[in-house]
Amino acid sequence: MYSHMADALFQKDVRVRRVTTLNHAAAQGLSDPARMRILELVSHKPMNAEEIAKALGNAGVKKATTTVRHHLDALKEAGLIEAARMVEVRGAVMKYYSATLRVFDCQAPADLDSKALRLIDDVSGKLAKVLKSVHEDKRFLALDKDGKCREFLALEIINAALARAMERPEYKELTAAGQKK
């Protein structure tokens, strides 16, 4: 058994590049690739099981409506979607679902960190100040009574604030203007 770092054949410092906060239920809810697609679909507009099955089929992912309903139940149980609207159709209730978690079905360029280094550094400095203010807030201290989840809770607060910021009219106007270009 090698006990000295000098004996290592390979060693490098690995930095965290991205942060995602998930609890066990959310991770289970996302365990199927079809659920990620469903979540992405219902993050844009409320949809029912039949509409989701059709949209998945159009994207090349064939799923029966009963299978889609199973996935919707798993996502709902994980807290990742909620019924946004219920409509009576021929004596039955049709549920339309919306996402409570925003997912993006796109891939960042592999060189994003190097191309956006200055912007990342600038934003990370501002976020460090925000994280410090969250940690120092008395309301925050009351949330983590045993001190085990400080980082997770701080990131969840920032995450929820980011999601709320993305719902603000000024951000929606900004993204709508970007899509028109």
Side-chain angles (χ1 to χ4, degrees), residues 10 12-17:
F10 176 80
K12 74 174 186 175
D13 290 330
V14 177
R15 293 181 30 217
V16 173
R17 292 187 187 93

mmCIF file of all heavy atoms in Angstrom, residues 10 12-17:
data_model
loop_
_atom_site.group_PDB
_atom_site.id
_atom_site.type_symbol
_atom_site.label_atom_id
_atom_site.label_comp_id
_atom_site.label_asym_id
_atom_site.label_seq_id
_atom_site.Cartn_x
_atom_site.Cartn_y
_atom_site.Cartn_z
ATOM 1 N N PHE A 10 -0.387 9.334 -10.657
ATOM 2 C CA PHE A 10 -1.126 10.455 -11.247
ATOM 3 C C PHE A 10 -1.745 11.248 -10.119
ATOM 4 O O PHE A 10 -2.278 10.680 -9.172
ATOM 5 C CB PHE A 10 -2.236 9.937 -12.164
ATOM 6 C CG PHE A 10 -3.104 11.025 -12.724
ATOM 7 C CD1 PHE A 10 -2.680 11.783 -13.803
ATOM 8 C CD2 PHE A 10 -4.331 11.312 -12.163
ATOM 9 C CE1 PHE A 10 -3.469 12.786 -14.324
ATOM 10 C CE2 PHE A 10 -5.128 12.313 -12.664
ATOM 11 C CZ PHE A 10 -4.693 13.059 -13.760
ATOM 12 N N LYS A 12 -3.672 15.333 -9.534
ATOM 13 C CA LYS A 12 -3.948 16.711 -9.923
ATOM 14 C C LYS A 12 -5.014 17.262 -8.995
ATOM 15 O O LYS A 12 -5.780 16.520 -8.399
ATOM 16 C CB LYS A 12 -4.378 16.822 -11.382
ATOM 17 C CG LYS A 12 -5.780 16.344 -11.672
ATOM 18 C CD LYS A 12 -6.158 16.629 -13.121
ATOM 19 C CE LYS A 12 -7.600 16.277 -13.370
ATOM 20 N NZ LYS A 12 -8.039 16.629 -14.710
ATOM 21 N N ASP A 13 -5.045 18.573 -8.882
ATOM 22 C CA ASP A 13 -6.090 19.233 -8.116
ATOM 23 C C ASP A 13 -7.321 19.336 -9.010
ATOM 24 O O ASP A 13 -7.239 19.841 -10.127
ATOM 25 C CB ASP A 13 -5.652 20.638 -7.683
ATOM 26 C CG ASP A 13 -4.552 20.603 -6.628
ATOM 27 O OD1 ASP A 13 -4.524 19.630 -5.854
ATOM 28 O OD2 ASP A 13 -3.732 21.531 -6.595
ATOM 29 N N VAL A 14 -8.437 18.844 -8.518
ATOM 30 C CA VAL A 14 -9.679 18.898 -9.269
ATOM 31 C C VAL A 14 -10.552 19.959 -8.627
ATOM 32 O O VAL A 14 -10.788 19.924 -7.420
ATOM 33 C CB VAL A 14 -10.405 17.535 -9.272
ATOM 34 C CG1 VAL A 14 -11.735 17.630 -9.992
ATOM 35 C CG2 VAL A 14 -9.514 16.473 -9.907
ATOM 36 N N ARG A 15 -10.996 20.912 -9.431
ATOM 37 C CA ARG A 15 -11.840 21.996 -8.931
ATOM 38 C C ARG A 15 -13.291 21.723 -9.290
ATOM 39 O O ARG A 15 -13.583 21.176 -10.345
ATOM 40 C CB ARG A 15 -11.418 23.324 -9.555
ATOM 41 C CG ARG A 15 -10.042 23.767 -9.103
ATOM 42 C CD ARG A 15 -9.614 25.090 -9.684
ATOM 43 N NE ARG A 15 -10.717 25.997 -9.949
ATOM 44 C CZ ARG A 15 -10.766 26.811 -10.987
ATOM 45 N NH1 ARG A 15 -9.778 26.841 -11.841
ATOM 46 N NH2 ARG A 15 -11.783 27.616 -11.170
ATOM 47 N N VAL A 16 -14.168 22.135 -8.417
ATOM 48 C CA VAL A 16 -15.593 22.067 -8.714
ATOM 49 C C VAL A 16 -15.880 23.127 -9.766
ATOM 50 O O VAL A 16 -15.521 24.286 -9.601
ATOM 51 C CB VAL A 16 -16.436 22.317 -7.434
ATOM 52 C CG1 VAL A 16 -17.912 22.404 -7.777
ATOM 53 C CG2 VAL A 16 -16.174 21.231 -6.409
ATOM 54 N N ARG A 17 -16.518 22.723 -10.860
ATOM 55 C CA ARG A 17 -16.811 23.659 -11.945
ATOM 56 C C ARG A 17 -18.277 24.058 -12.004
ATOM 57 O O ARG A 17 -18.622 25.096 -12.535
ATOM 58 C CB ARG A 17 -16.384 23.056 -13.273
ATOM 59 C CG ARG A 17 -14.884 22.931 -13.400
ATOM 60 C CD ARG A 17 -14.489 22.488 -14.809
ATOM 61 N NE ARG A 17 -13.081 22.224 -14.871
ATOM 62 C CZ ARG A 17 -12.537 21.027 -14.684
ATOM 63 N NH1 ARG A 17 -13.290 19.994 -14.441
ATOM 64 N NH2 ARG A 17 -11.238 20.869 -14.745
#
